[in-house]
Amino acid sequence: MEFVSVLSNMQIAEVAALADEIWREHYGKILPEGQIAYMLCRFQSADAIRAQITEEKYSYYLLREGDETLGYLGFCRKNGGKDEPKGVFLSKLYVKKSCRGRGAARSAVHFLNRLCLEEGYTYLWLTVNRGNTGSIACYQKLGFSNWYEQRAEIGGGWVMDDFVMKKTV
């Protein structure tokens, strides 16, 4: 598994296209189409991804195996507050349906574990839709456990009902 850092406009466009494909296929069973379209535009369009990288200090990577792109990864380092340890927010980990079951998620979590150890971060955390049972099971197998639940308004009249999961490194 190769992790290719997303920096160019062409790579950003590739991530946005992957997001459109993967989100519509995966979330079509969980969320209304209107919410999927809204979230893709707001969080996973090329402009949104570019802003996350340049303004919010997110890192994005394409997951590749040979010449094939399996999916993508997006995360942000969080330095914590006065009494809060440093953690890495695993914001995006998406794999194309045809590539699932090949170890991409496991490789991505190992990649982030190494990054945490090298840079002094003590945990990984993520949000996952409460109805996304397949992903929840996958994250549990990778060592994540439920931390707390959250309901967040994201605009456009939409909300995200998520579990927040955490994995100590």
Side-chain angles (χ1 to χ4, degrees):
M1 181 74 53
E2 181 182 9
F3 296 87
V4 179
S5 185
V6 173
L7 300 170
S8 72
N9 286 332
M10 192 165 89
Q11 290 169 317
I12 290 170
E14 183 177 358
V15 170
L18 281 167
D20 190 76
E21 173 189 343
I22 295 168
W23 282 42
R24 290 183 190 285
E25 176 273 320
H26 187 74
Y27 288 110
K29 304 169 193 94
I30 301 169
L31 301 172
E33 172 57 33
Q35 184 171 355
I36 295 169
Y38 176 82
M39 291 177 71
L40 282 168
C41 182
R42 179 149 183 227
F43 302 115
Q44 291 292 266
S45 66
D47 288 340
I49 294 166
R50 189 175 300 104
Q52 289 168 26
I53 292 169
T54 60
E55 298 167 20
E56 300 175 46
K57 306 303 180 209
Y58 275 70
S59 298
Y60 273 82
Y61 287 83
L62 292 165
L63 310 178
R64 292 217 171 113
E65 199 169 65
D67 293 336
E68 184 178 19
T69 300
L70 282 63
Y72 67 100
L73 167 68
F75 62 92
C76 184
R77 296 160 176 91
K78 303 283 185 176
N79 287 325
K82 179 181 173 190
D83 297 319
E84 186 179 329
K86 296 180 355 175
V88 172
F89 173 48
L90 172 51
S91 176
K92 315 284 186 297
L93 176 52
Y94 294 102
V95 178
K96 294 191 292 189
K97 184 176 184 176
S98 62
C99 301
R100 292 183 196 139
R102 292 168 46 182
R106 182 172 303 284
S107 292
V109 171
H110 286 304
F111 173 81
L112 289 174
N113 278 338
R114 284 192 308 274
L115 178 135
C116 286
L117 292 171
E118 291 169 6
E119 297 183 10
Y121 293 90
T122 59
Y123 65 98
L124 295 169
W125 62 282
L126 57 88
T127 59
V128 59
N129 183 285
R130 293 181 205 180
N132 195 349
T133 55
S135 294
I136 292 167
C138 177
Y139 289 130
Q140 288 172 332
K141 285 181 187 174
L142 294 172
F144 287 86
S145 58
N146 285 350
W147 191 10
Y148 60 91
E149 296 179 16
Q150 78 178 12
R151 181 178 171 90
E153 292 186 21
I154 58 171
W158 302 108
V159 297
M160 291 191 323
D161 286 310
D162 293 331
F163 290 122
V164 180
M165 299 181 81
K166 182 178 181 180
K167 176 186 186 331
T168 303
V169 178

